[in-house]
Amino acid sequence: GPQCNLQGLWRNELGSNMTLLALDAAGTFSGSYHTAVAATNNQILVSPLQGALQHSSSKGQPTFGFTVQWQFADSITAFAGQCFVDRRGKETLETTWLIREEVPTRRDSWRATRVGTSIFTRIK
Ligand code: BTN
């Protein structure tokens, strides 16, 4: 069947956009993330991401992960997901994310992490 291709411009249900650049031979890739929302009041800046595509199985719906190093907050986000492709070739990225914010003390660590799911579809 059709294969999933991570390269391109994607948007999630929050309206965040990300660009994933071409994968290298090892399956690692970079890109940029423009979040539509933030936990801070700082001005949102487009932020770099670094990821890896897992060795794809013959089914062509590979797993991947990437981190986003926010340029306007002390937090960092990790995404893990899978690229699905339907019979018409439409690709969907099903992801789960974790965001860790910097808290002042170890006693605050309990509230430092949030988790969620996100679905990306290709816009280009
Ligand atoms: C911050 O507010 O600390 C940095 C921006 C975090 C944006 C989060 S990451 C998970 C979720 N999905 C998005 O597209 N944006 C939010």
Side-chain angles (χ1 to χ4, degrees), residues 12-17 33-42 44-45 47 68-79 95 97-102 114-118 120:
N12 71 10
E13 71 289 340
L14 296 168
S16 298
N17 294 327
Y33 201 106
H34 189 179
T35 184
V37 299
T40 73
N41 289 321
N42 298 342
I44 290 171
L45 297 176
S47 297
V68 185
Q69 183 198 30
W70 302 109
Q71 299 298 290
F72 59 94
D74 293 330
S75 56
I76 193 156
T77 300
F79 286 83
T95 70
W97 51 264
L98 279 172
I99 184 168
R100 173 73 189 204
E101 68 172 285
E102 188 175 339
R114 289 188 288 281
V115 63
T117 60
S118 193
F120 293 86

Side-chain angles (χ1 to χ4, degrees), residues 27-109:
T28 63
F29 59 88
S30 61
S32 58
Y33 201 106
H34 189 179
T35 184
V37 299
T40 73
N41 289 321
N42 298 342
Q43 188 191 329
I44 290 171
L45 297 176
V46 176
S47 297
L49 69 84
Q50 297 286 341
L53 181 72
Q54 188 52 282
H55 302 290
S56 188
S57 69
S58 55
K59 295 124 194 161
Q61 300 197 117
T63 59
F64 61 89
F66 63 85
T67 56
V68 185
Q69 183 198 30
W70 302 109
Q71 299 298 290
F72 59 94
D74 293 330
S75 56
I76 193 156
T77 300
F79 286 83
Q82 185 172 352
C83 185
F84 289 100
V85 58
D86 72 12
R87 285 167 300 186
R88 293 177 167 176
K90 191 194 177 198
E91 297 149 307
T92 305
L93 307 182
E94 289 278 345
T95 70
T96 302
W97 51 264
L98 279 172
I99 184 168
R100 173 73 189 204
E101 68 172 285
E102 188 175 339
V103 289
T105 72
R106 211 173 159 191
R107 277 199 43 90
D108 298 301
S109 194

